Amino acid sequence: MRKFTLLDGLVVPLDRANVDTDAIIPKQFLKSIKRSGFGPNAFDEWRYLDHGEPGMDNSKRSPNPDFVLNQPRYQGAQVLLARENFGCGSSREHAPWALEDYGFRVIIAPSFADIFFNNCFKNGLLPIKLDADKVDALFNAVEANNGYKLKVDLEQQTITLPDGTVYKFDVDAHRKHCLLNGLDDIGLTLQHVDDIKAFEEKHRAAQPWLYA
Amino acid sequence: MSAQTLYDKLWNSHVVQQDADGTALIYIDRQLVHEVTSPQAFEGLKLAHRKPWRTASMLATPDHNVPTTNRSGGIADPISRLQVETLDANCAEFGVVEFKMNDIRQGIVHVIGPEQGATLPGMTVVCGDSHTSTHGAFAALAHGIGTSEVEHVMATQCLVAKKSKAMLVKVEGALGHGVTAKDIALAVVGKIGTAGGTGYAIEFGGSAIRALSMEGRMTLCNMAIEAGARAGMVAADETTFTYIKGRPFAPQGENWDKAVAYWKTLHSDASAAFDAVVELDAATIRPQVTWGTSPEMVTSIDGRVPDPVSAPDAVKRGDWERALAYMGLTANTPISEIQIDKVFIGSCTNGRIEDMRAAAAVAKGKKIATNVKLAMVVPGSGLVKAQAEKEGLDKIFIEAGFEWRDPGCSMCLAMNDDRLEPGERCAATSNRNFEGRQGQGGRTHLVSPEMAAAAAIAGHFVDVSKL
Ligand code: SF4
């Protein structure tokens, strides 16, 4: 997994609540058996005027000029500013894969759906929960200022605004450690092989039908 | 020991190891696998030269991509076909039990797990699919996970997790005629919102829940995720045990008695404390119909499409306006005047035998309305299909003008050829009405099987409680 430490990134505002994972990456792209290459189809139905299918040459399709990600001022954005309950719906990890592949590293929203939130950390993406009024203020600031960037420091757990204001954010210690060091969970868990085996023995004795 | 919730009991009995900050390793008893969220996990295992920890805990089936007609011809779409073939190959390579596309036991993972007795009380159940919450109906701790976690569970039999908060949704009283578990589910989502359960595991309790069949409890737990909760659950009781007994993966003989003795402890203690309690009166729940692009955008059959002017805040007003524009609806239209083009009866929410029976009872001896272009019934599994045919339900549907299909996810998410065309309006028994869910530009109204069948006959929504 890609590490995340510091970012000074351009922000794009996606002003909708309850953005679901099917909007982030529509189901037809889930037929892929790969982990990569979903970026060009992130937000496909909003981003293009025509209907997208896997295997199409996306450079030949017509982008929807009204969709915020297509506006010239937001090209190269690495921070996605979103509204409440971002990433709800299907558990598809293709959603963080698509966002990461598009170039995002940070998502800021007042709230996230649980499974999506969890999936982000497994893919080098940092989801940050901020109070709704702060998110509101950021939406206003991004829209009012071309080239609006935020500095995100995971170690310090801070977001620094261009005017020097600093917002602290919370992050779970385990997830922070993994993200800072680019560690994948499986390796860490396998350090507990003996615990797992011991648990399994006890569990088998108590509920033998689970192993019949 | 102090009083425990059902969730406490399930959680505590699976903690392998726990850090000071609450991050825990949770042992997983059952992993269900389907073709969409597993290929990258199997690939990850192979790349790291790892083997599944306990293949006997896994059960696989293709469901999302499979065609629902003309199956003997195979899958026409080469990309879908490759995904299903990849599942077959991975299961063969690692020795995972798989019910393949043409096996009568094939079906939607959340239908076949319980149907096989592979979902049992007291288990932890995971699947790379958000509707894994369905299995909580058996007093199991069941939730959806991402593909990285699928790989993690395969490799370690454990999940890294933190305990959620516990919410009790208590529904007391008796449901009215024509009101179902689906209506409870939609009413709950309408009441607490799609994010109302975020961070919680929900237990459904109260006399109305105890009166539900296992099918009804599964419908309800299925939609816990639509309220934002990863897990939904119902205490185990005689209804649970009766459903499980004799199923292929169920314990037998001496193990059965031991298991039941343990399962009888799987309920919240009387004095257990919840972090949140939500109460509903069953008698006041009316048949529900969603009008928007999120399951919380729901009202009853007596209601009207809301006016965005009356939205509680500006963000919501924007959402409602966008939803009405997408849905092609005008504010204040009575729900019963909304005309539909298609009907979909099926999915992991309402694709079980009881759902087929309920829809057939409404359709019996009637014909679908002339404005309904397509009404399809898609059983949740091959065994549901066979049972329905034994009872003659297929004939009732076919005579009424419905199509009777092969099992799979079908038009719940339109990954196969079953889909809405842009602008088409559908009465669907599935669980999500998101933009494009049933096909780009398609408009979904979520309802119970009874309501869907009645809408097919009338051509618009009707109040099944008055039929
Ligand atoms: S029926 Fe629908 S919700 Fe259920 S598993 Fe299939 S696609 Fe998902």
Side-chain angles (χ1 to χ4, degrees), chain B residues 63-64 108-110 129 131 222 347-348 409 412-413 431 437:
Chain B
D63 53 6
H64 285 62
I108 305 170
V109 276
H110 310 310
D129 193 287
H131 292 101
N222 174 274
S347 87
C348 59
C409 294
C412 172
L413 94 164
N431 44 50
R437 172 75 178 183

Side-chain angles (χ1 to χ4, degrees), chain A residues 15-18 20 22 27-28 30-35 38 45-46 50-51 53-54 83-85 88-94 97 112-115 118-119 122-123 172-174 184-187 189-190 192-193 195-197 199-200 203 207-212, chain B residues 13-17 21 23 25 27 29 36 39-40 50 53-54 65 77 79-80 82-83 86 123 128-130 144-149 151-152 155-156 158 160 162 194-195 198-199 230 251 255 258-259 262-263 296 319 322 413-415 432 434-437 440:
Chain A
D15 196 359
R16 301 183 176 218
N18 297 313
D20 66 89
D22 195 70
K27 64 214 143 223
Q28 61 270 31
L30 272 52
K31 295 178 184 181
S32 166
I33 56 171
K34 298 202 298 263
R35 245 175 216 270
F38 295 100
E45 288 194 8
W46 294 341
D50 58 343
H51 175 73
E53 283 293 331
R83 294 288 186 186
E84 66 186 21
N85 202 26
C88 61
S90 144
S91 61
R92 62 189 68 162
E93 199 160 319
H94 311 67
W97 294 340
F112 293 87
D114 282 343
I115 302 178
N118 209 23
N119 282 340
K122 319 269 178 199
N123 294 284
D172 173 276
H174 173 81
D184 100 272
D185 276 339
I186 297 181
T189 298
L190 287 173
H192 294 286
V193 153
D195 293 330
I196 303 171
K197 287 191 172 149
F199 177 91
E200 206 164 44
H203 200 53
Q207 298 181 53
W209 58 88
L210 296 177
Y211 298 82
Chain B
S13 59
H14 289 87
V15 175
V16 171
Q17 186 264 342
D21 76 340
T23 304
L25 271 185
Y27 186 84
D29 296 309
V36 180
Q40 297 86 354
R50 289 179 176 131
W53 182 282
R54 192 160 77 86
N65 275 283
D77 174 0
I79 313 178
S80 288
L82 176 65
Q83 198 166 52
T86 304
M123 274 185 165
D129 193 287
S130 59
I145 56 177
T147 295
S148 295
E149 291 173 315
E151 181 183 341
H152 188 277
T156 69
C158 293
V160 179
K162 262 191 170 173
T194 46
T198 303
R230 289 179 79 177
N255 265 343
K258 270 200 225 161
Y262 171 60
W263 296 346
E296 70 183 21
D319 287 348
R322 232 182 337 254
L413 94 164
M415 250 180 108
R432 287 188 175 139
F434 300 155
E435 284 186 23
R437 172 75 178 183
Q440 195 183 23

